[in-house]
Amino acid sequence: MAIRKPHVGGNWKMNLHGNEAAALAQAVVDAVGGSDAVDVTICPAFPYLSQVAQIAAGSHVKVGAQDAYHEANGAFTGEVSLSMLQDIGVEVLLTGHSERRHVIGETDVLVNAKTRAALDAGLDVILCVGEKEEQRDAGQTDAVNAAQTYYGLAGVSADQMARVTIAYEPVWAIGTGKTATPADAQNAHAAIRKVLSEMYDNNIAQATRLQYGGSVKPANAAELFGQTDIDGGLIGGAALKADDFLAIVDAAVGTPAGA
Ligand code: 13P
């Protein structure tokens, strides 16, 4: 079985101002910027992307944007294009985050447009999927994840899949302190990997990194990342403190999934 390099993302959401964002970025780059054992992506808010990208430049740490618009240019007031982000050193785009789906109202169609545009532009993508609590209670977890994976990746080529990471983030676990049990998370990840094998083939399914997200912290990271199909995490609250985030990165390095 392929051994996938772990990938840990820090999604800072709408948090941290100027100096805080720069200081956190510097601490992450200082600690893991030279490591080839793990891929680390940090995603600050738009105003700090440029500064954080300068801090990360030349290191292994990649900088991601939390959103972008899929059109190249034009009359789209308030939106930011992919090439603008690339201009300032952004290499990764988050798409389909549950807060964009369920708070901002992004549809599967828009998530797909952004995913394809980012890949076509040469960016990496972290595509987020995950069920709401009532969907989980109704036994729909795998169906929701499958649908969001199929829609999100529609039109994405096999070659482009090398630049895709999928983050399984159960909505009820985000920012709540509730975490999926390692066994439940593993089952959801295995089901997503099966969808990838149906959409593409088994090699691509085995090579694609699947992150777990939702109240990951230093205390639970190692057990989650130790599951066969969990290849790292997408971290929110615990990514805002260097010590916590770096402990989580350490946990991912210590437990290569698929090994
Ligand atoms: P928390 O780690 O705060 O639950 O957030 C997870 C998340 O949404 C990362 O994208």
Side-chain angles (χ1 to χ4, degrees):
M1 180 186 281
I3 298 179
R4 298 170 291 270
K5 188 198 272 195
H7 184 187
V8 179
N11 175 7
W12 299 355
K13 309 190 181 185
M14 201 172 71
N15 294 297
L16 304 176
H17 289 73
N19 292 339
E20 297 165 331
L24 179 55
Q26 192 67 61
V28 171
V29 168
D30 287 349
V32 295
S35 171
D36 209 17
V38 55
D39 287 338
V40 174
T41 301
I42 49 178
C43 305
F46 277 120
Y48 309 110
L49 275 169
S50 180
Q51 192 183 6
V52 167
Q54 283 172 33
I55 291 167
S59 82
H60 282 289
V61 173
K62 288 189 178 181
V63 175
Q66 299 170 20
D67 186 33
Y69 204 56
H70 55 285
E71 297 287 356
N73 49 51
F76 303 106
T77 300
E79 297 297 334
V80 173
S81 77
L82 295 158
S83 60
M84 290 171 185
L85 294 172
Q86 289 175 298
D87 266 352
I88 59 167
V90 170
E91 295 179 283
V92 183
L93 183 69
L94 296 187
T95 61
H97 192 280
S98 73
E99 287 140 26
R100 297 220 54 90
R101 291 179 192 267
H102 303 305
V103 181
I104 313 293
E106 287 195 11
T107 62
D108 280 315
V109 171
L110 187 55
V111 171
N112 176 251
K114 292 182 178 190
T115 301
R116 278 189 294 129
L119 291 167
D120 288 346
L123 290 157
D124 297 350
V125 166
I126 300 175
L127 168 67
C128 307
V129 303
E131 84 287 1
K132 294 180 175 182
E133 188 152 37
E134 60 268 28
Q135 293 169 324
R136 180 179 197 80
D137 292 345
Q140 296 168 346
T141 297
D142 289 345
V144 169
N145 289 337
Q148 291 183 354
T149 302
Y150 271 109
Y151 278 120
L153 295 177
V156 171
S157 72
D159 286 351
Q160 288 177 325
M161 283 303 293
R163 288 185 283 116
V164 173
T165 294
I166 296 178
Y168 167 57
E169 300 202 298
V171 180
W172 50 271
I174 295 177
T176 58
K178 293 189 216 164
T179 315
T181 65
D184 281 353
Q186 163 58 27
N187 287 339
H189 281 235
I192 293 167
R193 206 177 291 289
K194 187 157 174 285
V195 170
L196 295 179
S197 72
E198 287 161 10
M199 288 184 78
Y200 297 95
D201 61 33
N202 191 47
N203 286 342
I204 287 175
Q206 291 301 329
T208 303
R209 274 92 59 87
L210 305 183
Q211 297 173 328
Y212 170 79
S215 299
V216 178
K217 27 188 191 282
N220 60 24
E223 199 183 356
L224 286 160
F225 299 166
Q227 304 300 308
T228 309
D229 288 295
I230 302 183
D231 311 310
L234 188 57
I235 319 302
L240 301 177
K241 290 199 190 124
D243 288 352
D244 285 355
F245 184 65
L246 293 169
I248 291 168
V249 172
D250 275 353
V253 177
T255 57

